[in-house]
Amino acid sequence: MKPTIVKTKKKVSAEQILGETRTDAILSRWRSSIWKLLWKDLLIYTILYLIIGLVYRFALPEEYQIHLESFIKYCHTQNAGLPLTFLLGFYVSLVVSRWWSQYCSLPWPDTIATFLRAVKMKEGGEEEARITRRTIVRYCLLAYLLCVRRLSIKLRKKFPTMREVIQTGLVTEAEAERIGEEDSVRQHGGSNWWMPLLWSTEIAENDVNISSAPVYGFIQMNIAGYRQKLTDVLTYGHVPIPLVYSQVVHLAVYFYFGVSLISEQWIIWRKDGDEVVYLYYPFFMTMKFLFYFGWLRVAETLYNPFGEDDDDFAIEELLNRHIKVAMKIVDKTEAPPTLQKDAFWDIMNPQVMKEMDDQDQVHDEDDVTIQLITSQEKRDPRK
């Protein structure tokens, strides 16, 4: 086997990998950024601060300026003791933990599809067995859509009635009639999203090939686990964070920065001991505004991850991915590759990748060259 040369780029674009990359500056991004969330609020807040400062310096007589200066000092002293960091930090931590738990609770149909594929069918009945497998997967995805649709504003707008759900191909008109209109959102027990999963268990139970297969128990167990995960997701919608807690945090933040419009004003220097430095633009208060309000906006954005914000869950992409992958798994229309000896046959210490020596590398600033080579080729490089 000849060595394989693999060339990779040092610079990788964000579209080529999952997750965050360090190839571009984080602070310069716009989508889902603090600048996009806060620029309007910060602009209004800064204008209000400057208006108060101009009125204080140029519109008020000296007597009223002195009274206002005493009030500024009083507000500055009192506002410093507000436990804003503790309140906001704990609240944001709770919201982020809740947000991640909701995503982890979203079920994936791959395991059910894999166990269905493992069922060995009798000769001559593959077409009917394929219909059975695809129907079970379709019902699982239908339950997924109907359940998440109760929480997702985006899905609710796209599928306002069962007529639009029928157009997706996940449900027939006869099945939709048995399920019902699915208009209830808040009420417990007002939805039949679980019904397709019940049909899936009954289909698996009544199918001779599936019910007699060694993996039958795993199939039923995974369908039950699939339903449990959807129930967990739905529970987050029925039991939100207590309103009073969210109100306390919002009230604390708005009160703090409302008072800061007065307490952060620069006092006119009248005698020795007064403040000498004049920063007509509130640089430090702007940073505090970005930090605290940015924190609060994070909580507001992640509070309902099934909404329409940039960081909300891409439910439509997940559904398209699930229908594509799950159907391909259960189809059995494509045979696996031919069995053959692998490149590491009879090698005691195989290595997947080994960097080439300096003299063998291609000298290119943007290329990293990696060679896959076996121990036998090391001993006899002519092969």
Side-chain angles (χ1 to χ4, degrees):
M1 179 179 177
K2 295 297 182 182
T4 303
I5 305 299
V6 181
K7 292 185 178 180
T8 59
K9 293 289 185 180
K10 286 182 180 178
K11 297 180 179 180
V12 182
S13 65
E15 291 78 13
Q16 291 177 292
I17 61 174
L18 295 175
E20 291 289 339
T21 62
R22 298 180 180 272
T23 56
D24 54 351
I26 294 178
L27 294 179
S28 64
R29 300 181 187 177
W30 176 254
R31 185 178 182 274
S32 304
S33 66
I34 189 175
W35 320 119
K36 182 178 180 180
L37 292 174
L38 293 179
W39 75 270
K40 292 181 181 179
D41 298 325
L42 180 60
L43 178 62
I44 294 173
Y45 190 80
T46 304
I47 292 175
L48 290 176
Y49 177 88
L50 294 177
I51 290 175
I52 294 174
L54 292 175
V55 170
Y56 158 61
R57 281 178 169 77
F58 302 107
L60 294 180
E62 183 176 353
E63 179 184 356
Y64 288 98
Q65 287 181 346
I66 294 175
H67 288 301
L68 182 59
E69 289 166 5
S70 299
F71 185 65
I72 290 173
K73 293 177 182 178
Y74 173 78
C75 290
H76 185 77
T77 302
Q78 297 298 321
N79 208 31
L82 191 67
L84 189 61
T85 303
F86 172 77
L87 289 173
L88 192 56
F90 190 78
Y91 179 71
V92 173
S93 176
L94 175 62
V95 172
V96 172
S97 175
R98 188 173 183 270
W99 167 78
W100 181 244
S101 297
Q102 288 182 75
Y103 185 80
C104 292
S105 296
L106 288 172
W108 291 54
D110 300 29
T111 305
I112 298 175
T114 303
F115 279 119
L116 287 172
R117 186 185 177 93
V119 176
K120 190 171 183 179
M121 301 300 172
K122 296 179 181 179
E123 188 175 352
E126 178 54 36
E127 186 69 20
E128 182 179 354
R130 183 184 177 192
I131 295 175
T132 300
R133 294 193 301 267
R134 291 177 67 91
T135 301
I136 292 176
V137 168
R138 178 170 64 85
Y139 283 163
C140 290
L141 294 175
L142 174 59
Y144 187 107
L145 174 59
L146 295 179
C147 177
V148 179
R149 174 175 168 269
R150 292 168 58 81
L151 303 173
S152 174
I153 299 174
K154 187 180 295 184
L155 289 184
R156 197 74 183 179
K157 289 181 178 179
K158 190 164 186 177
F159 309 108
T161 64
M162 286 298 291
R163 177 60 56 183
E164 286 74 23
V165 179
I166 292 173
Q167 295 175 359
T168 64
L170 288 176
V171 62
T172 64
E173 292 188 6
E175 294 166 349
E177 186 176 351
R178 295 182 62 179
I179 293 173
E181 289 300 324
E182 288 296 301
D183 291 330
S184 172
V185 177
R186 291 287 181 183
Q187 182 182 0
H188 284 283
S191 171
N192 292 325
W193 64 265
W194 48 267
M195 191 172 289
L197 295 177
L198 176 62
W199 297 340
S200 296
T201 59
E202 292 177 349
I203 291 173
E205 181 182 359
N206 296 329
D207 187 275
V208 177
N209 294 314
I210 296 178
S211 60
S212 61
V215 295
Y216 171 70
F218 293 102
I219 293 174
Q220 294 286 23
M221 182 176 62
N222 277 278
I223 293 177
Y226 190 90
R227 184 189 187 283
Q228 180 60 50
K229 277 184 167 290
L230 288 177
T231 304
D232 292 342
V233 173
L234 202 58
T235 302
Y236 285 104
H238 286 303
V239 186
I241 295 176
L243 176 61
V244 63
Y245 191 15
S246 299
Q247 287 177 334
V248 167
V249 173
H250 281 76
L251 181 61
V253 174
Y254 283 106
F255 178 81
Y256 176 84
F257 283 98
V259 175
S260 294
L261 289 173
I262 303 297
S263 64
E264 296 294 332
Q265 293 290 334
W266 295 93
I267 298 176
I268 298 175
W269 179 40
R270 302 185 185 279
K271 63 182 183 301
D272 293 340
D274 288 341
E275 299 180 45
V276 180
V277 179
Y278 292 104
L279 297 178
Y280 294 99
Y281 182 83
F283 292 101
F284 291 100
M285 191 180 69
T286 298
M287 291 296 102
K288 286 195 291 186
F289 186 93
L290 290 175
F291 297 154
Y292 287 115
F293 261 94
W295 226 357
L296 186 64
R297 289 293 182 268
V298 166
E300 293 175 352
T301 302
L302 302 183
Y303 189 91
N304 177 22
F306 298 99
E308 298 176 301
D309 296 323
D310 291 338
D311 285 321
D312 287 338
F313 300 156
I315 299 298
E316 295 180 34
E317 295 180 10
L318 280 174
L319 277 169
N320 290 331
R321 180 264 169 205
H322 293 338
I323 190 70
K324 172 185 173 183
V325 174
M327 289 299 187
K328 191 170 184 179
I329 291 175
V330 299
D331 261 352
K332 288 188 177 181
T333 56
E334 188 175 326
T338 305
L339 297 179
Q340 58 181 349
K341 292 182 179 180
D342 55 75
F344 312 104
W345 191 267
D346 289 337
I347 298 177
M348 296 299 297
N349 298 309
Q351 295 181 355
V352 177
M353 292 189 296
K354 181 176 178 59
E355 294 188 7
M356 298 176 63
D357 297 333
D358 294 338
Q359 61 270 22
D360 297 330
Q361 292 184 0
V362 179
H363 297 284
D364 192 334
E365 293 181 357
D366 294 333
D367 289 341
V368 176
T369 305
I370 298 175
Q371 182 182 26
L372 302 183
I373 186 170
T374 64
S375 301
Q376 183 178 359
E377 291 165 356
K378 279 185 175 182
R379 293 191 297 271
D380 190 357
R382 293 173 297 177
K383 293 184 180 180

